[in-house]
Amino acid sequence: MNILSVASEVFPLIKTGGLADVAGALPLALAGHGIRVRTLMPGYPIVMQRLTGPKVVATFDGLLGEPARILAVTHEGLDLLVLDAPTFFDRPGGPYTDGSGNDFVDNWQRFAALSFAGAEVARGLLPDWRPDIVQAHDWQAAMTPVYMRYTGLQHIPTILTVHNLAFQGQFGADIFDKLRLPPQAFAVDGLEYYGDVGFLKGGLRTAWSITTVSPTYAQEIMTPEYGMGLEGLINARSADLEGIVNGIDTAVWNPESDTHIARPYAAGSLRQRAVNRQAVAERFNIEQDGGPIFCVISRLTWQKGIDIIADVTDWIVEQGGKLVVLGSGDQGLEGALLAAASRHRGRIGIVIGYNEPLSHLMQAGADAILIPSRFEPCGLTQLYGLRYGCIPVVARTGGLADTVIDANEAALSARVATGFQFTPINADGLRQALRRVFKAWQEPKVWGRIQNQGMKAEVSWESSAARYADLFSSLLTRANLS
C-alpha cells in the first residue's frame, strides 16, 4: 500500500510543534505494516541544506505562477518528496513567520502550492509511483483533498488529520480567483467560510475521512467550546471522524540510550536519574534540596495555560518546590515568568527559546512536568515525561486525559496511576493537583511506583500505527466498492 503524506514540517528536518513529530515518526511505524509512505514537504532553507543526494523527479513551469520542482531523497529512513519552490520557501524566518514573528502575507499561496503539488502527485506526476491514499496534515495541507475533489481525483481516498483545530488557514475571499479552482468550489460545501476562504474548512468538507490526534479531542471538537466555529461541520461529518492518539519515537526518546542526558537510566535504575537532576539544577542555577523540581517545556501561550503557571509560581516556591521553564511565545507571559525567576533566584529558572537537547535533559532530570493546557489535541510532552519518569501533571482535556492515569486513591491502590489530572483548568485547579503531588513526593515508595508505572506505559506508535493501517485498509475497500 502506498500513502502520500503532505505536511508542512517533518522531524528531524524542521519542527515547530507536534505535527513535525507525527509526520516524521508515523511513516516509520507504518512500514512494519507493509505500508510505504512518501512525505511531501516544503523545501525551506534549513531542509535544503541538510539533504544529501536529492534527485529531481518532477518539475512545474508554473506552480500557482512560480517555477518549482520536486526532489526525491531519503533522510534518516524517511522517504521524502521535497517541494523546491524558492519563491515560496527560500526565505529567512520560520516556516510560517518572518524574523519578527509576523505571518508571511503569502502563506495562503505558499501552502496552496504545497497542496496543489500533492494533488498532482496523486494524479500521477511521478513517473514510477502513485499513491493509493493521500493523508494531509492540518490547514497547511488541507487544500490537497480540495484540489483532488475539484480536479477529477475524488475517487482516490483522502484523510485530513487535524492536529490543532485552532489554526484554520482563513483568508480573504479575494484570493479565491488565484487558487486555480472552478467557481463552484467557493460555496458552503467547499471553501467558503463566512465569506472568506477557509483552507481547513475546505479540507474537512472534502476529505473522505477525518482523524484527530486523540479520541477525547475528537469528541471535544464537536462542541462549541472546542469546535472553534467548525463544530457544525464536524458533527455533520461525525461518521467519518476518528480519534487516534499520537505516539512518540521511542528510539529518539529513550532514557537508556539518550545522548542528550547526563546519565542514561532505566525503570529499574531510577536512582541514576539523580545525576540528570543535578545537571538540570546546574543548568538553571537552582538550589538542590528536598523539594521537587517541576518543569515546563512549552510554547508560552494562553492555550498552553502558561498564565496559570505564572499565577502559581509563588505558591510552588512557598511549598518548597522549584520550577524550570524552557519555551518562548507571548511576550507578556515570558515577562511574567522572568519576573518570577527574579523574585525567586535559586528556586525558579527560565530559558527563553527552544533547545531540543535541553528538553531531553529536563525530562530526564526534573521530577514532574506541568501541562495545564486549556485544550490539547494530543500533546507529546506528557508522553516524553511518562517515558522518562518525569511525572505528568496535566489538565483533564484532549489527549492529556487519554494518556495519563490520574493518581486518585483507586488508581494508587491498583498501582496503575501514571500522573495527576486536574480540573477546573485554572490556578485553583492546578494548586489542588499540586497538593496531591507534594503529598506523593513525601512518600518515596508511592512516588517511585507512579514513575515506574509511567515508564511502562505504551507510548510508542505501535498500536496507533495499527489503527491507521486498519483505517487505510477500510478506505481502500470502500474505494474498490464505489
PDB file of all heavy atoms in Angstrom, residues 439-455:
ATOM      1  N   LYS A 439       2.141  15.725  48.371  1.00  0.00           N
ATOM      2  CA  LYS A 439       1.885  14.628  49.312  1.00  0.00           C
ATOM      3  C   LYS A 439       2.552  13.347  48.828  1.00  0.00           C
ATOM      4  O   LYS A 439       3.205  12.630  49.612  1.00  0.00           O
ATOM      5  CB  LYS A 439       0.384  14.420  49.471  1.00  0.00           C
ATOM      6  CG  LYS A 439       0.035  13.290  50.435  1.00  0.00           C
ATOM      7  CD  LYS A 439      -1.477  13.096  50.558  1.00  0.00           C
ATOM      8  CE  LYS A 439      -1.805  11.929  51.492  1.00  0.00           C
ATOM      9  NZ  LYS A 439      -3.277  11.714  51.580  1.00  0.00           N
ATOM     10  N   ALA A 440       2.420  13.035  47.533  1.00  0.00           N
ATOM     11  CA  ALA A 440       3.058  11.834  46.991  1.00  0.00           C
ATOM     12  C   ALA A 440       4.567  11.930  47.064  1.00  0.00           C
ATOM     13  O   ALA A 440       5.267  10.929  47.313  1.00  0.00           O
ATOM     14  CB  ALA A 440       2.606  11.617  45.540  1.00  0.00           C
ATOM     15  N   TRP A 441       5.098  13.132  46.872  1.00  0.00           N
ATOM     16  CA  TRP A 441       6.553  13.343  46.940  1.00  0.00           C
ATOM     17  C   TRP A 441       7.099  12.974  48.314  1.00  0.00           C
ATOM     18  O   TRP A 441       8.240  12.499  48.438  1.00  0.00           O
ATOM     19  CB  TRP A 441       6.873  14.797  46.604  1.00  0.00           C
ATOM     20  CG  TRP A 441       8.329  15.180  46.742  1.00  0.00           C
ATOM     21  CD1 TRP A 441       8.903  15.903  47.739  1.00  0.00           C
ATOM     22  CD2 TRP A 441       9.383  14.837  45.842  1.00  0.00           C
ATOM     23  NE1 TRP A 441      10.244  16.045  47.529  1.00  0.00           N
ATOM     24  CE2 TRP A 441      10.572  15.395  46.358  1.00  0.00           C
ATOM     25  CE3 TRP A 441       9.447  14.124  44.655  1.00  0.00           C
ATOM     26  CZ2 TRP A 441      11.803  15.261  45.730  1.00  0.00           C
ATOM     27  CZ3 TRP A 441      10.675  13.983  44.022  1.00  0.00           C
ATOM     28  CH2 TRP A 441      11.831  14.541  44.563  1.00  0.00           C
ATOM     29  N   GLN A 442       6.293  13.180  49.356  1.00  0.00           N
ATOM     30  CA  GLN A 442       6.723  12.854  50.714  1.00  0.00           C
ATOM     31  C   GLN A 442       6.704  11.354  50.997  1.00  0.00           C
ATOM     32  O   GLN A 442       7.158  10.921  52.057  1.00  0.00           O
ATOM     33  CB  GLN A 442       5.818  13.574  51.727  1.00  0.00           C
ATOM     34  CG  GLN A 442       5.879  15.099  51.644  1.00  0.00           C
ATOM     35  CD  GLN A 442       7.280  15.638  51.895  1.00  0.00           C
ATOM     36  OE1 GLN A 442       8.006  15.122  52.747  1.00  0.00           O
ATOM     37  NE2 GLN A 442       7.653  16.677  51.152  1.00  0.00           N
ATOM     38  N   GLU A 443       6.181  10.565  50.063  1.00  0.00           N
ATOM     39  CA  GLU A 443       6.133   9.103  50.205  1.00  0.00           C
ATOM     40  C   GLU A 443       6.920   8.472  49.058  1.00  0.00           C
ATOM     41  O   GLU A 443       6.356   8.161  48.003  1.00  0.00           O
ATOM     42  CB  GLU A 443       4.687   8.614  50.199  1.00  0.00           C
ATOM     43  CG  GLU A 443       3.826   9.253  51.286  1.00  0.00           C
ATOM     44  CD  GLU A 443       2.390   8.772  51.241  1.00  0.00           C
ATOM     45  OE1 GLU A 443       2.184   7.535  51.284  1.00  0.00           O
ATOM     46  OE2 GLU A 443       1.486   9.625  51.138  1.00  0.00           O
ATOM     47  N   PRO A 444       8.223   8.296  49.229  1.00  0.00           N
ATOM     48  CA  PRO A 444       9.095   7.839  48.128  1.00  0.00           C
ATOM     49  C   PRO A 444       8.616   6.562  47.437  1.00  0.00           C
ATOM     50  O   PRO A 444       8.755   6.429  46.217  1.00  0.00           O
ATOM     51  CB  PRO A 444      10.441   7.633  48.810  1.00  0.00           C
ATOM     52  CG  PRO A 444      10.422   8.586  49.968  1.00  0.00           C
ATOM     53  CD  PRO A 444       9.001   8.584  50.451  1.00  0.00           C
ATOM     54  N   LYS A 445       8.043   5.622  48.192  1.00  0.00           N
ATOM     55  CA  LYS A 445       7.581   4.391  47.550  1.00  0.00           C
ATOM     56  C   LYS A 445       6.418   4.670  46.603  1.00  0.00           C
ATOM     57  O   LYS A 445       6.343   4.099  45.510  1.00  0.00           O
ATOM     58  CB  LYS A 445       7.177   3.375  48.614  1.00  0.00           C
ATOM     59  CG  LYS A 445       8.358   2.778  49.379  1.00  0.00           C
ATOM     60  CD  LYS A 445       7.889   1.693  50.339  1.00  0.00           C
ATOM     61  CE  LYS A 445       9.080   1.071  51.060  1.00  0.00           C
ATOM     62  NZ  LYS A 445       8.646  -0.002  52.015  1.00  0.00           N
ATOM     63  N   VAL A 446       5.498   5.550  47.017  1.00  0.00           N
ATOM     64  CA  VAL A 446       4.366   5.919  46.164  1.00  0.00           C
ATOM     65  C   VAL A 446       4.872   6.637  44.919  1.00  0.00           C
ATOM     66  O   VAL A 446       4.469   6.328  43.786  1.00  0.00           O
ATOM     67  CB  VAL A 446       3.367   6.811  46.925  1.00  0.00           C
ATOM     68  CG1 VAL A 446       2.296   7.360  45.978  1.00  0.00           C
ATOM     69  CG2 VAL A 446       2.732   6.036  48.067  1.00  0.00           C
ATOM     70  N   TRP A 447       5.766   7.585  45.125  1.00  0.00           N
ATOM     71  CA  TRP A 447       6.329   8.347  44.003  1.00  0.00           C
ATOM     72  C   TRP A 447       7.023   7.411  43.007  1.00  0.00           C
ATOM     73  O   TRP A 447       6.821   7.507  41.795  1.00  0.00           O
ATOM     74  CB  TRP A 447       7.309   9.389  44.526  1.00  0.00           C
ATOM     75  CG  TRP A 447       7.777  10.357  43.479  1.00  0.00           C
ATOM     76  CD1 TRP A 447       8.880  10.260  42.695  1.00  0.00           C
ATOM     77  CD2 TRP A 447       7.114  11.571  43.095  1.00  0.00           C
ATOM     78  NE1 TRP A 447       8.968  11.330  41.849  1.00  0.00           N
ATOM     79  CE2 TRP A 447       7.904  12.155  42.075  1.00  0.00           C
ATOM     80  CE3 TRP A 447       5.957  12.220  43.520  1.00  0.00           C
ATOM     81  CZ2 TRP A 447       7.561  13.365  41.474  1.00  0.00           C
ATOM     82  CZ3 TRP A 447       5.623  13.421  42.917  1.00  0.00           C
ATOM     83  CH2 TRP A 447       6.406  13.985  41.909  1.00  0.00           C
ATOM     84  N   GLY A 448       7.822   6.492  43.538  1.00  0.00           N
ATOM     85  CA  GLY A 448       8.541   5.553  42.679  1.00  0.00           C
ATOM     86  C   GLY A 448       7.610   4.656  41.890  1.00  0.00           C
ATOM     87  O   GLY A 448       7.874   4.343  40.722  1.00  0.00           O
ATOM     88  N   ARG A 449       6.490   4.245  42.512  1.00  0.00           N
ATOM     89  CA  ARG A 449       5.543   3.395  41.793  1.00  0.00           C
ATOM     90  C   ARG A 449       4.894   4.158  40.637  1.00  0.00           C
ATOM     91  O   ARG A 449       4.680   3.606  39.553  1.00  0.00           O
ATOM     92  CB  ARG A 449       4.469   2.864  42.738  1.00  0.00           C
ATOM     93  CG  ARG A 449       4.935   1.691  43.603  1.00  0.00           C
ATOM     94  CD  ARG A 449       3.759   0.923  44.173  1.00  0.00           C
ATOM     95  NE  ARG A 449       2.954   1.702  45.092  1.00  0.00           N
ATOM     96  CZ  ARG A 449       3.150   1.756  46.408  1.00  0.00           C
ATOM     97  NH1 ARG A 449       4.133   1.061  46.961  1.00  0.00           N
ATOM     98  NH2 ARG A 449       2.362   2.486  47.176  1.00  0.00           N
ATOM     99  N   ILE A 450       4.566   5.439  40.863  1.00  0.00           N
ATOM    100  CA  ILE A 450       3.982   6.243  39.789  1.00  0.00           C
ATOM    101  C   ILE A 450       4.991   6.399  38.658  1.00  0.00           C
ATOM    102  O   ILE A 450       4.647   6.270  37.469  1.00  0.00           O
ATOM    103  CB  ILE A 450       3.531   7.615  40.326  1.00  0.00           C
ATOM    104  CG1 ILE A 450       2.446   7.461  41.395  1.00  0.00           C
ATOM    105  CG2 ILE A 450       3.011   8.487  39.173  1.00  0.00           C
ATOM    106  CD1 ILE A 450       2.071   8.759  42.093  1.00  0.00           C
ATOM    107  N   GLN A 451       6.246   6.669  38.999  1.00  0.00           N
ATOM    108  CA  GLN A 451       7.279   6.772  37.968  1.00  0.00           C
ATOM    109  C   GLN A 451       7.402   5.482  37.163  1.00  0.00           C
ATOM    110  O   GLN A 451       7.410   5.489  35.928  1.00  0.00           O
ATOM    111  CB  GLN A 451       8.637   7.085  38.608  1.00  0.00           C
ATOM    112  CG  GLN A 451       8.825   8.521  39.053  1.00  0.00           C
ATOM    113  CD  GLN A 451      10.221   8.714  39.627  1.00  0.00           C
ATOM    114  OE1 GLN A 451      10.599   8.059  40.600  1.00  0.00           O
ATOM    115  NE2 GLN A 451      10.995   9.593  39.019  1.00  0.00           N
ATOM    116  N   ASN A 452       7.509   4.368  37.869  1.00  0.00           N
ATOM    117  CA  ASN A 452       7.694   3.082  37.201  1.00  0.00           C
ATOM    118  C   ASN A 452       6.502   2.730  36.315  1.00  0.00           C
ATOM    119  O   ASN A 452       6.672   2.225  35.205  1.00  0.00           O
ATOM    120  CB  ASN A 452       7.921   1.974  38.234  1.00  0.00           C
ATOM    121  CG  ASN A 452       9.374   1.844  38.628  1.00  0.00           C
ATOM    122  OD1 ASN A 452      10.184   1.290  37.891  1.00  0.00           O
ATOM    123  ND2 ASN A 452       9.713   2.371  39.797  1.00  0.00           N
ATOM    124  N   GLN A 453       5.293   2.992  36.815  1.00  0.00           N
ATOM    125  CA  GLN A 453       4.110   2.677  36.021  1.00  0.00           C
ATOM    126  C   GLN A 453       4.074   3.532  34.756  1.00  0.00           C
ATOM    127  O   GLN A 453       3.706   3.058  33.679  1.00  0.00           O
ATOM    128  CB  GLN A 453       2.840   2.885  36.848  1.00  0.00           C
ATOM    129  CG  GLN A 453       1.587   2.315  36.213  1.00  0.00           C
ATOM    130  CD  GLN A 453       1.666   0.807  36.037  1.00  0.00           C
ATOM    131  OE1 GLN A 453       2.244   0.101  36.869  1.00  0.00           O
ATOM    132  NE2 GLN A 453       1.102   0.309  34.947  1.00  0.00           N
ATOM    133  N   GLY A 454       4.454   4.802  34.896  1.00  0.00           N
ATOM    134  CA  GLY A 454       4.505   5.677  33.722  1.00  0.00           C
ATOM    135  C   GLY A 454       5.507   5.193  32.691  1.00  0.00           C
ATOM    136  O   GLY A 454       5.244   5.215  31.485  1.00  0.00           O
ATOM    137  N   MET A 455       6.657   4.720  33.166  1.00  0.00           N
ATOM    138  CA  MET A 455       7.692   4.251  32.245  1.00  0.00           C
ATOM    139  C   MET A 455       7.286   2.956  31.544  1.00  0.00           C
ATOM    140  O   MET A 455       7.839   2.615  30.496  1.00  0.00           O
ATOM    141  CB  MET A 455       9.019   4.095  32.985  1.00  0.00           C
ATOM    142  CG  MET A 455       9.582   5.421  33.480  1.00  0.00           C
ATOM    143  SD  MET A 455      11.169   5.286  34.337  1.00  0.00           S
ATOM    144  CE  MET A 455      12.270   5.022  32.940  1.00  0.00           C
TER     145      MET A 455
END
